[in-house]
Amino acid sequence: MRRRSALCAFLSCSLLLLSGCWDRTEINDVAFVVSSAVDLDEDGKVRITVMVPLPGQMGGATGGGGGTGGGGGKSYYLDSEAGSTFRAAQAKLQQRMSRRMFFGHRRTLIVGEDVAKAGIGDLFDSSPRNSENRMSTYLVTTKGKAYELLQAAPKFERFPSEVIRELAKSGSLMDINMKDVGVALNAPGSDPVMVLMDVKNSVKSEKQSKEIEVKGYAQFRGDKMIGTLENEEAQGFSWLRNESIKTTVDLEYDKEKKNRIGLRMHEVHTRIKPAIRDDKLRFTINVQAKAVLLEDEKHLDLSQIKNVDKIELLLNDYMKKAMTRVIEKCKKNNVDSMQFGTYIWRSFPDQWKATYAKNWPQAMKQAEYDIYVKSTLIETGLIYENVTKGSSFK
């Protein structure tokens, strides 16, 4: 009995040491930030804009897109504040919010063009210091103000932030997050890029809406935006970075008759091999690509090997020109978006440290680039030639 009484007394005393839920946070006390935007005001202050869902306006599945909930109002809340620093602006914004902002569920961070050109270095100081901020957050820049991207009203999704996230990871461009940009900022012989988006009004719709579209990439020299890569240049850049992006290619088969060939890129593999000969840099770029035929205005008989070979040669030429344009633009802007310097650093660390590290990417301008592309048309669809070929259309 004594032993049992002592054990009960010990267990009872142990209960006094339990802390319980003294530091609990109720969900009703938290504002979940799903996206945020960073801009610069005319007076030089940093402006922070946050997007927070409104639980009372979320509604059911019938709410539809365009940022409208079941009750007809917006299902999210946008608010903004300016301050001398990122943290100062966020602190001022928090002062008028009844709920504590929580950034653990933020998946997209939009950087305005003015902030990108001024430099994003401070952003990589404020964000990683808070454990709630994830380095897997998609980092996107935009033409104009970043908050305008959050003000868009797309029809397919409830939140503009969801559209931005889906476009960022759709595979039409490289998948770039905060970690990727941070690594590129610190890696030898490397300059970062960010996905570039913009707002575009819908066309021919009964009720016009502000949609979000992908434009390409923003080029950076160090932490400052220096230019953009769009259309064919964006494709060429992705191929140089060994990315099998989901993109289509429009080839001109006959200039006089303006016949076009449409292809969808299925798979691309790129290998870059650096060499130093007689103190001269040379990069050998070997590209292997696979494509699927989407459209043929020339009405070729693709059961004939010679016609298939012609299309493959046209694709080879297109890809080579696209990648050459990217290299020339990088040389012009004195920026190494393709990370050629990193290839040298890895392959020739001693020469990199002694010769190239101090003035890179200046040495890119004197380097030689040999691009070899071998493409294969792996599919022509369900038909070899146009089903109306031979018809008189009478």
Side-chain angles (χ1 to χ4, degrees):
M1 291 294 295
R2 279 187 180 181
R3 184 176 299 177
R4 182 176 298 177
S5 298
L7 180 60
C8 291
F10 175 76
L11 292 176
S12 298
C13 293
S14 299
L15 294 176
L16 300 176
L17 301 178
L18 297 178
S19 59
C21 297
W22 61 273
D23 63 343
R24 72 186 185 278
T25 300
E26 300 290 349
I27 193 171
N28 290 337
D29 297 329
V30 179
F32 294 97
V33 177
V34 295
S35 185
S36 61
V38 182
D39 291 293
L40 280 182
D41 286 348
E42 293 182 358
D43 58 2
K45 288 187 176 181
V46 178
R47 176 164 295 278
I48 301 292
T49 306
V50 296
M51 175 176 287
V52 181
L54 296 175
Q57 294 289 340
M58 291 295 288
T62 59
T68 58
K74 286 188 175 181
S75 56
Y76 57 87
Y77 166 68
L78 283 179
D79 204 353
S80 179
E81 189 56 83
S84 56
T85 64
F86 296 105
R87 285 299 174 187
Q90 183 177 321
K92 290 178 66 177
L93 185 58
Q94 182 64 74
Q95 288 176 357
R96 64 168 180 270
M97 280 194 174
S98 59
R99 301 186 180 192
R100 184 183 74 84
M101 288 186 292
F102 179 74
F103 290 85
H105 292 286
R106 182 179 65 176
R107 292 295 179 267
T108 55
L109 174 57
I110 301 96
V111 179
E113 186 177 7
D114 43 10
V115 175
K117 289 182 177 180
I120 59 174
D122 291 340
L123 189 64
F124 280 87
D125 181 83
S126 61
S127 291
R129 290 184 186 274
N130 187 348
S131 60
E132 293 179 0
N133 294 322
R134 299 173 182 267
M135 296 301 287
S136 59
T137 299
Y138 290 105
L139 199 56
V140 175
T141 188
T142 178
K143 293 184 175 182
K145 296 295 184 180
Y147 64 79
E148 293 177 350
L149 212 62
L150 294 182
Q151 290 177 340
K155 290 295 184 182
F156 282 106
E157 304 291 347
R158 188 180 296 272
F159 302 109
S161 61
E162 186 68 11
V163 176
I164 298 170
R165 185 179 73 89
E166 290 297 326
L167 288 174
K169 71 183 187 71
S170 65
S172 59
L173 289 175
M174 291 172 54
D175 190 339
I176 302 173
N177 55 33
M178 287 194 70
K179 179 182 177 182
D180 298 323
V181 176
V183 169
L185 282 168
N186 289 279
S190 172
D191 288 304
V193 296
M194 287 169 54
V195 171
L196 180 67
M197 296 186 185
D198 200 5
V199 177
K200 182 178 178 63
N201 292 328
S202 60
V203 181
K204 304 298 183 181
S205 59
E206 183 178 350
K207 187 177 180 181
Q208 194 175 72
S209 62
K210 289 186 177 180
E211 302 293 333
I212 300 172
E213 69 171 344
V214 176
K215 302 293 290 185
Y217 303 99
Q219 283 185 296
F220 285 75
R221 181 191 298 160
D223 71 332
K224 294 180 174 61
M225 180 177 168
I226 196 67
T228 63
L229 296 170
E230 303 180 38
N231 302 319
E232 292 85 358
E233 291 178 350
Q235 292 177 328
F237 173 75
S238 299
W239 296 329
L240 281 168
R241 291 288 296 269
N242 194 29
E243 294 286 339
S244 290
I245 59 172
K246 299 175 183 177
T247 186
T248 58
V249 171
D250 183 31
L251 303 177
E252 187 176 53
Y253 189 92
D254 191 331
K255 293 183 179 181
E256 294 182 359
K257 296 183 179 181
K258 297 182 179 180
N259 295 134
R260 314 293 298 187
I261 302 290
L263 300 172
R264 183 181 74 245
M265 302 307 298
H266 178 73
E267 190 176 319
V268 178
H269 292 290
T270 304
R271 294 184 62 186
I272 299 177
K273 185 176 180 181
I276 302 176
R277 298 172 184 171
D278 300 326
D279 296 328
K280 183 81 172 180
L281 273 177
R282 178 184 293 271
F283 294 93
T284 303
I285 304 170
N286 288 291
V287 183
Q288 291 186 333
K290 296 179 181 179
V292 175
L293 184 70
L294 298 178
E295 188 176 20
D296 173 21
E297 291 185 345
K298 185 65 175 176
H299 298 178
L300 297 170
D301 181 3
L302 296 177
S303 63
Q304 302 296 316
I305 298 299
K306 63 179 181 179
N307 292 329
V308 174
D309 291 341
K310 177 65 175 179
I311 293 177
E312 291 175 349
L313 290 175
L314 287 173
L315 180 58
N316 293 345
D317 186 60
Y318 177 92
M319 295 182 68
K320 183 175 180 179
K321 286 181 178 178
M323 289 184 281
T324 301
R325 286 180 59 181
V326 175
I327 294 173
E328 292 301 319
K329 191 164 188 177
C330 288
K331 287 159 61 173
K332 177 182 177 182
N333 291 336
N334 196 34
V335 61
D336 186 5
S337 303
M338 289 82 59
Q339 302 181 349
F340 283 134
T342 303
Y343 285 97
I344 301 173
W345 169 63
R346 290 172 177 171
S347 301
F348 309 101
D350 294 335
Q351 290 91 327
W352 168 260
K353 185 177 181 179
T355 307
Y356 302 108
K358 293 181 180 179
N359 64 344
W360 193 262
Q362 190 66 28
M364 280 181 56
K365 297 180 179 180
Q366 288 76 42
E368 295 182 0
Y369 303 87
D370 299 321
I371 303 177
Y372 303 98
V373 181
K374 179 177 176 53
S375 62
T376 304
L377 187 63
I378 62 172
E379 186 180 331
T380 63
L382 299 178
I383 56 176
Y384 279 122
E385 56 185 347
N386 193 297
V387 295
T388 63
K389 191 173 182 179
S391 173
S392 60
F393 293 97
K394 292 181 179 179

